[in-house]
Short mmCIF file of all heavy atoms in Angstrom, two decimals:
data_model
loop_
_atom_site.label_atom_id
_atom_site.label_comp_id
_atom_site.label_asym_id
_atom_site.label_seq_id
_atom_site.Cartn_x
_atom_site.Cartn_y
_atom_site.Cartn_z
N ALA W 1 20.71 2.98 23.33
CA ALA W 1 19.82 2.95 24.49
C ALA W 1 18.54 3.71 24.17
O ALA W 1 18.58 4.81 23.61
CB ALA W 1 20.52 3.56 25.69
N ALA W 2 17.43 3.10 24.54
CA ALA W 2 16.12 3.68 24.26
C ALA W 2 15.35 3.88 25.57
O ALA W 2 15.66 3.26 26.58
CB ALA W 2 15.33 2.77 23.32
N PRO W 3 14.32 4.74 25.54
CA PRO W 3 13.50 4.91 26.73
C PRO W 3 12.82 3.60 27.13
O PRO W 3 12.28 2.88 26.28
CB PRO W 3 12.47 5.95 26.30
CG PRO W 3 13.11 6.68 25.17
CD PRO W 3 13.94 5.66 24.47
N ALA W 4 12.85 3.31 28.41
CA ALA W 4 12.33 2.04 28.89
C ALA W 4 10.87 1.83 28.51
O ALA W 4 10.45 0.72 28.17
CB ALA W 4 12.50 1.96 30.40
N ARG W 5 10.08 2.90 28.55
CA ARG W 5 8.64 2.78 28.30
C ARG W 5 8.33 2.34 26.88
O ARG W 5 7.25 1.84 26.59
CB ARG W 5 7.95 4.11 28.59
CG ARG W 5 8.43 5.24 27.71
CD ARG W 5 7.78 6.58 28.07
NE ARG W 5 8.38 7.68 27.33
CZ ARG W 5 8.04 8.04 26.12
NH1 ARG W 5 7.06 7.38 25.49
NH2 ARG W 5 8.63 9.05 25.50
N LEU W 6 9.29 2.54 25.96
CA LEU W 6 9.08 2.18 24.56
C LEU W 6 9.86 0.95 24.14
O LEU W 6 9.44 0.23 23.23
CB LEU W 6 9.47 3.34 23.65
CG LEU W 6 8.57 4.56 23.68
CD1 LEU W 6 9.15 5.66 22.80
CD2 LEU W 6 7.16 4.21 23.22
N PHE W 7 10.98 0.73 24.75
CA PHE W 7 11.89 -0.31 24.27
C PHE W 7 11.22 -1.67 24.18
O PHE W 7 11.34 -2.37 23.18
CB PHE W 7 13.12 -0.38 25.18
CG PHE W 7 14.13 -1.40 24.73
CD1 PHE W 7 15.01 -1.11 23.70
CD2 PHE W 7 14.19 -2.66 25.33
CE1 PHE W 7 15.94 -2.06 23.27
CE2 PHE W 7 15.11 -3.60 24.90
CZ PHE W 7 15.99 -3.30 23.87
N SER W 8 10.52 -2.06 25.23
CA SER W 8 9.97 -3.41 25.28
C SER W 8 8.82 -3.64 24.32
O SER W 8 8.45 -4.80 24.06
CB SER W 8 9.54 -3.75 26.70
OG SER W 8 8.49 -2.89 27.10
N VAL W 9 8.24 -2.59 23.79
CA VAL W 9 7.07 -2.73 22.92
C VAL W 9 7.35 -2.31 21.49
O VAL W 9 6.43 -2.21 20.68
CB VAL W 9 5.86 -1.95 23.47
CG1 VAL W 9 5.43 -2.52 24.81
CG2 VAL W 9 6.16 -0.46 23.58
N SER W 10 8.61 -2.05 21.17
CA SER W 10 8.94 -1.50 19.85
C SER W 10 9.90 -2.41 19.11
O SER W 10 10.68 -3.14 19.70
CB SER W 10 9.58 -0.12 19.99
OG SER W 10 8.73 0.77 20.66
N ARG W 11 9.82 -2.29 17.79
CA ARG W 11 10.84 -2.89 16.96
C ARG W 11 12.06 -1.97 16.96
O ARG W 11 11.93 -0.76 16.83
CB ARG W 11 10.34 -3.07 15.53
CG ARG W 11 11.27 -3.92 14.66
CD ARG W 11 10.96 -3.76 13.20
NE ARG W 11 11.49 -2.49 12.68
CZ ARG W 11 11.44 -2.13 11.42
NH1 ARG W 11 10.85 -2.92 10.53
NH2 ARG W 11 11.95 -0.97 11.01
N MET W 12 13.24 -2.54 17.10
CA MET W 12 14.48 -1.79 17.09
C MET W 12 15.29 -2.18 15.85
O MET W 12 15.16 -3.30 15.34
CB MET W 12 15.30 -2.07 18.34
CG MET W 12 14.61 -1.73 19.65
SD MET W 12 14.24 0.03 19.82
CE MET W 12 15.88 0.75 19.76
N GLY W 13 16.12 -1.25 15.40
CA GLY W 13 16.90 -1.57 14.22
C GLY W 13 18.08 -0.65 14.01
O GLY W 13 18.26 0.34 14.74
N TRP W 14 18.90 -1.00 13.04
CA TRP W 14 20.03 -0.19 12.61
C TRP W 14 19.93 0.00 11.09
O TRP W 14 19.64 -0.96 10.36
CB TRP W 14 21.35 -0.87 12.95
CG TRP W 14 21.64 -0.89 14.41
CD1 TRP W 14 21.36 -1.88 15.30
CD2 TRP W 14 22.30 0.14 15.16
NE1 TRP W 14 21.78 -1.54 16.55
CE2 TRP W 14 22.37 -0.30 16.50
CE3 TRP W 14 22.83 1.38 14.84
CZ2 TRP W 14 22.94 0.47 17.51
CZ3 TRP W 14 23.40 2.14 15.85
CH2 TRP W 14 23.46 1.68 17.16
N TYR W 15 20.18 1.22 10.67
CA TYR W 15 20.26 1.57 9.27
C TYR W 15 21.58 2.29 9.06
O TYR W 15 22.20 2.75 10.02
CB TYR W 15 19.09 2.47 8.86
CG TYR W 15 17.75 1.77 8.86
CD1 TYR W 15 17.13 1.42 10.05
CD2 TYR W 15 17.11 1.47 7.66
CE1 TYR W 15 15.90 0.76 10.05
CE2 TYR W 15 15.88 0.82 7.65
CZ TYR W 15 15.28 0.48 8.85
OH TYR W 15 14.07 -0.17 8.84
N ARG W 16 22.00 2.42 7.82
CA ARG W 16 23.23 3.14 7.55
C ARG W 16 23.08 4.00 6.31
O ARG W 16 22.23 3.72 5.45
CB ARG W 16 24.41 2.18 7.42
CG ARG W 16 24.40 1.33 6.16
CD ARG W 16 25.56 0.34 6.18
NE ARG W 16 25.72 -0.34 4.89
CZ ARG W 16 26.63 -1.28 4.66
NH1 ARG W 16 27.47 -1.66 5.63
NH2 ARG W 16 26.71 -1.84 3.47
N GLN W 17 23.94 5.00 6.23
CA GLN W 17 23.86 5.93 5.11
C GLN W 17 25.25 6.45 4.77
O GLN W 17 26.03 6.78 5.67
CB GLN W 17 22.92 7.09 5.43
CG GLN W 17 22.58 7.98 4.26
CD GLN W 17 21.46 8.94 4.57
OE1 GLN W 17 21.18 9.26 5.73
NE2 GLN W 17 20.77 9.41 3.53
N THR W 18 25.52 6.53 3.47
CA THR W 18 26.74 7.16 2.98
C THR W 18 26.33 8.35 2.13
O THR W 18 25.19 8.40 1.62
CB THR W 18 27.58 6.17 2.15
OG1 THR W 18 26.76 5.62 1.11
CG2 THR W 18 28.10 5.04 3.03
N PRO W 19 27.23 9.31 1.95
CA PRO W 19 26.88 10.52 1.18
C PRO W 19 26.37 10.19 -0.21
O PRO W 19 26.95 9.37 -0.93
CB PRO W 19 28.21 11.29 1.12
CG PRO W 19 28.93 10.85 2.35
CD PRO W 19 28.58 9.40 2.53
N GLY W 20 25.26 10.80 -0.57
CA GLY W 20 24.69 10.62 -1.90
C GLY W 20 23.84 9.39 -2.07
O GLY W 20 23.32 9.15 -3.16
N LYS W 21 23.71 8.62 -1.00
CA LYS W 21 22.91 7.38 -1.10
C LYS W 21 21.77 7.42 -0.09
O LYS W 21 21.82 8.12 0.91
CB LYS W 21 23.79 6.15 -0.85
CG LYS W 21 24.82 5.90 -1.93
CD LYS W 21 25.51 4.57 -1.70
CE LYS W 21 26.49 4.27 -2.81
NZ LYS W 21 27.17 2.95 -2.62
N GLN W 22 20.76 6.62 -0.38
CA GLN W 22 19.64 6.52 0.55
C GLN W 22 20.03 5.69 1.76
O GLN W 22 20.92 4.83 1.69
CB GLN W 22 18.45 5.87 -0.15
CG GLN W 22 17.75 6.74 -1.18
CD GLN W 22 16.44 6.16 -1.65
OE1 GLN W 22 16.24 4.94 -1.60
NE2 GLN W 22 15.54 7.01 -2.10
N ARG W 23 19.36 5.96 2.85
CA ARG W 23 19.58 5.17 4.05
C ARG W 23 19.12 3.73 3.78
O ARG W 23 18.04 3.53 3.19
CB ARG W 23 18.79 5.78 5.21
CG ARG W 23 19.19 5.32 6.57
CD ARG W 23 18.55 6.18 7.65
NE ARG W 23 19.07 7.55 7.65
CZ ARG W 23 18.77 8.44 8.58
NH1 ARG W 23 17.97 8.12 9.58
NH2 ARG W 23 19.27 9.66 8.50
N GLU W 24 19.91 2.77 4.20
CA GLU W 24 19.57 1.37 3.93
C GLU W 24 19.51 0.56 5.22
O GLU W 24 20.19 0.84 6.20
CB GLU W 24 20.58 0.74 2.96
CG GLU W 24 21.99 0.61 3.48
CD GLU W 24 22.92 -0.10 2.50
OE1 GLU W 24 22.44 -0.74 1.53
OE2 GLU W 24 24.15 -0.03 2.72
N LEU W 25 18.70 -0.48 5.15
CA LEU W 25 18.53 -1.37 6.28
C LEU W 25 19.80 -2.16 6.55
O LEU W 25 20.38 -2.76 5.64
CB LEU W 25 17.39 -2.35 6.00
CG LEU W 25 17.26 -3.54 6.94
CD1 LEU W 25 16.75 -3.09 8.30
CD2 LEU W 25 16.34 -4.59 6.34
N VAL W 26 20.20 -2.18 7.81
CA VAL W 26 21.27 -3.08 8.24
C VAL W 26 20.65 -4.29 8.94
O VAL W 26 20.89 -5.43 8.56
CB VAL W 26 22.26 -2.38 9.17
CG1 VAL W 26 23.34 -3.36 9.62
CG2 VAL W 26 22.87 -1.16 8.49
N ALA W 27 19.85 -4.03 9.97
CA ALA W 27 19.21 -5.12 10.71
C ALA W 27 18.09 -4.56 11.56
O ALA W 27 18.17 -3.42 12.02
CB ALA W 27 20.23 -5.84 11.59
N THR W 28 17.07 -5.38 11.77
CA THR W 28 16.00 -5.04 12.70
C THR W 28 15.71 -6.24 13.58
O THR W 28 16.01 -7.39 13.22
CB THR W 28 14.70 -4.63 11.99
OG1 THR W 28 14.24 -5.72 11.19
CG2 THR W 28 14.90 -3.40 11.12
N ILE W 29 15.13 -5.96 14.75
CA ILE W 29 14.75 -7.02 15.67
C ILE W 29 13.44 -6.62 16.35
O ILE W 29 13.31 -5.51 16.86
CB ILE W 29 15.87 -7.30 16.71
CG1 ILE W 29 15.49 -8.47 17.62
CG2 ILE W 29 16.23 -6.06 17.51
CD1 ILE W 29 16.67 -8.99 18.45
N THR W 30 12.48 -7.52 16.30
CA THR W 30 11.19 -7.23 16.92
C THR W 30 11.27 -7.45 18.43
O THR W 30 12.26 -7.96 18.96
CB THR W 30 10.10 -8.15 16.35
OG1 THR W 30 10.34 -9.49 16.80
CG2 THR W 30 10.07 -8.11 14.83
N ARG W 31 10.19 -7.09 19.10
CA ARG W 31 10.17 -7.26 20.56
C ARG W 31 10.20 -8.74 20.95
O ARG W 31 10.58 -9.08 22.07
CB ARG W 31 8.95 -6.58 21.16
CG ARG W 31 7.63 -7.09 20.65
CD ARG W 31 6.49 -6.23 21.18
NE ARG W 31 5.19 -6.72 20.74
CZ ARG W 31 4.47 -7.61 21.41
NH1 ARG W 31 4.92 -8.08 22.57
NH2 ARG W 31 3.30 -7.99 20.95
N LEU W 32 9.84 -9.60 20.00
CA LEU W 32 9.88 -11.03 20.27
C LEU W 32 11.17 -11.68 19.78
O LEU W 32 11.34 -12.88 19.92
CB LEU W 32 8.68 -11.72 19.60
CG LEU W 32 7.31 -11.28 20.13
CD1 LEU W 32 6.20 -12.01 19.39
CD2 LEU W 32 7.20 -11.53 21.62
N GLY W 33 12.05 -10.87 19.21
CA GLY W 33 13.36 -11.39 18.83
C GLY W 33 13.52 -11.81 17.39
O GLY W 33 14.58 -12.33 17.02
N ALA W 34 12.51 -11.60 16.57
CA ALA W 34 12.64 -11.94 15.16
C ALA W 34 13.54 -10.92 14.47
O ALA W 34 13.39 -9.72 14.69
CB ALA W 34 11.28 -11.98 14.49
N THR W 35 14.46 -11.40 13.65
CA THR W 35 15.45 -10.51 13.04
C THR W 35 15.36 -10.51 11.52
O THR W 35 14.96 -11.50 10.90
CB THR W 35 16.87 -10.91 13.44
OG1 THR W 35 17.09 -12.28 13.06
CG2 THR W 35 17.07 -10.78 14.94
N VAL W 36 15.75 -9.38 10.95
CA VAL W 36 15.88 -9.22 9.51
C VAL W 36 17.20 -8.51 9.26
O VAL W 36 17.53 -7.56 9.97
CB VAL W 36 14.71 -8.40 8.92
CG1 VAL W 36 14.95 -8.12 7.44
CG2 VAL W 36 13.39 -9.13 9.12
N TYR W 37 17.92 -8.96 8.24
CA TYR W 37 19.21 -8.35 7.91
C TYR W 37 19.24 -7.91 6.45
O TYR W 37 18.61 -8.53 5.59
CB TYR W 37 20.35 -9.35 8.14
CG TYR W 37 20.58 -9.70 9.59
CD1 TYR W 37 19.97 -10.82 10.16
CD2 TYR W 37 21.41 -8.92 10.38
CE1 TYR W 37 20.17 -11.14 11.49
CE2 TYR W 37 21.63 -9.24 11.71
CZ TYR W 37 21.01 -10.33 12.27
OH TYR W 37 21.21 -10.65 13.59
N GLY W 38 20.01 -6.86 6.19
CA GLY W 38 20.25 -6.48 4.82
C GLY W 38 21.05 -7.55 4.09
O GLY W 38 21.83 -8.28 4.71
N GLU W 39 20.85 -7.62 2.78
CA GLU W 39 21.51 -8.68 2.01
C GLU W 39 23.02 -8.61 2.12
O GLU W 39 23.71 -9.64 2.09
CB GLU W 39 21.08 -8.59 0.55
CG GLU W 39 19.65 -9.04 0.30
CD GLU W 39 19.34 -9.10 -1.17
OE1 GLU W 39 20.24 -8.84 -1.99
OE2 GLU W 39 18.17 -9.40 -1.51
N PHE W 40 23.57 -7.43 2.25
CA PHE W 40 25.02 -7.27 2.27
C PHE W 40 25.65 -7.80 3.56
O PHE W 40 26.85 -7.98 3.65
CB PHE W 40 25.39 -5.79 2.12
CG PHE W 40 24.88 -4.94 3.24
CD1 PHE W 40 25.63 -4.77 4.39
CD2 PHE W 40 23.65 -4.30 3.16
CE1 PHE W 40 25.16 -4.00 5.44
CE2 PHE W 40 23.17 -3.53 4.20
CZ PHE W 40 23.93 -3.38 5.36
N VAL W 41 24.84 -8.05 4.57
CA VAL W 41 25.38 -8.50 5.85
C VAL W 41 26.05 -9.86 5.73
O VAL W 41 27.13 -10.10 6.28
CB VAL W 41 24.27 -8.52 6.92
CG1 VAL W 41 24.75 -9.20 8.19
CG2 VAL W 41 23.81 -7.09 7.22
N GLU W 42 25.42 -10.76 5.03
CA GLU W 42 26.01 -12.08 4.73
C GLU W 42 26.56 -12.77 5.97
O GLU W 42 27.67 -13.32 5.95
CB GLU W 42 27.10 -11.93 3.67
CG GLU W 42 26.59 -11.36 2.36
CD GLU W 42 27.71 -11.11 1.36
OE1 GLU W 42 28.82 -10.76 1.78
OE2 GLU W 42 27.45 -11.26 0.14
N GLY W 43 25.82 -12.71 7.07
CA GLY W 43 26.19 -13.44 8.27
C GLY W 43 27.25 -12.78 9.12
O GLY W 43 27.68 -13.35 10.13
N ARG W 44 27.69 -11.58 8.78
CA ARG W 44 28.78 -10.94 9.51
C ARG W 44 28.29 -10.15 10.73
O ARG W 44 29.07 -9.91 11.67
CB ARG W 44 29.53 -9.98 8.57
CG ARG W 44 30.14 -10.68 7.36
CD ARG W 44 30.84 -9.67 6.44
NE ARG W 44 29.89 -8.72 5.88
CZ ARG W 44 30.05 -7.40 5.91
NH1 ARG W 44 31.12 -6.86 6.49
NH2 ARG W 44 29.13 -6.59 5.37
N PHE W 45 27.05 -9.71 10.72
CA PHE W 45 26.53 -8.87 11.80
C PHE W 45 25.47 -9.63 12.59
O PHE W 45 24.75 -10.49 12.04
CB PHE W 45 25.87 -7.61 11.22
CG PHE W 45 26.78 -6.71 10.42
CD1 PHE W 45 26.26 -5.61 9.77
CD2 PHE W 45 28.15 -6.95 10.32
CE1 PHE W 45 27.06 -4.76 9.04
CE2 PHE W 45 28.98 -6.11 9.59
CZ PHE W 45 28.42 -5.02 8.94
N THR W 46 25.35 -9.26 13.87
CA THR W 46 24.31 -9.83 14.71
C THR W 46 23.64 -8.72 15.51
O THR W 46 24.33 -7.97 16.20
CB THR W 46 24.87 -10.88 15.67
OG1 THR W 46 25.53 -11.92 14.93
CG2 THR W 46 23.76 -11.49 16.51
N ILE W 47 22.33 -8.64 15.42
CA ILE W 47 21.58 -7.68 16.22
C ILE W 47 20.98 -8.39 17.41
O ILE W 47 20.53 -9.55 17.29
CB ILE W 47 20.48 -6.97 15.38
CG1 ILE W 47 19.88 -5.82 16.14
CG2 ILE W 47 19.42 -7.96 14.89
CD1 ILE W 47 18.96 -4.92 15.30
#
């Protein structure tokens, strides 16, 4: 959940991190609904 004043005008996303590794992209979605997924997702996740 995000603040209403920002949610509608911002890109939202999920990243993940494991110990010793850099944070990596899981998925993002623009305010218009365009999505990008990390390569490892392989159709398993939906934002």
Side-chain angles (χ1 to χ4, degrees):
R5 62 184 173 84
L6 290 176
F7 182 80
S8 63
V9 296
S10 301
R11 190 196 77 175
M12 301 297 299
W14 290 94
Y15 291 72
R16 71 184 190 182
Q17 190 169 22
T18 54
K21 292 188 177 181
Q22 288 191 334
R23 196 169 293 187
E24 65 177 346
L25 168 72
V26 178
T28 61
I29 183 167
T30 69
R31 60 187 182 91
L32 297 179
T35 58
V36 174
Y37 292 93
E39 287 188 3
F40 63 87
V41 170
E42 299 175 327
R44 300 179 296 129
F45 299 175
T46 303
I47 190 170

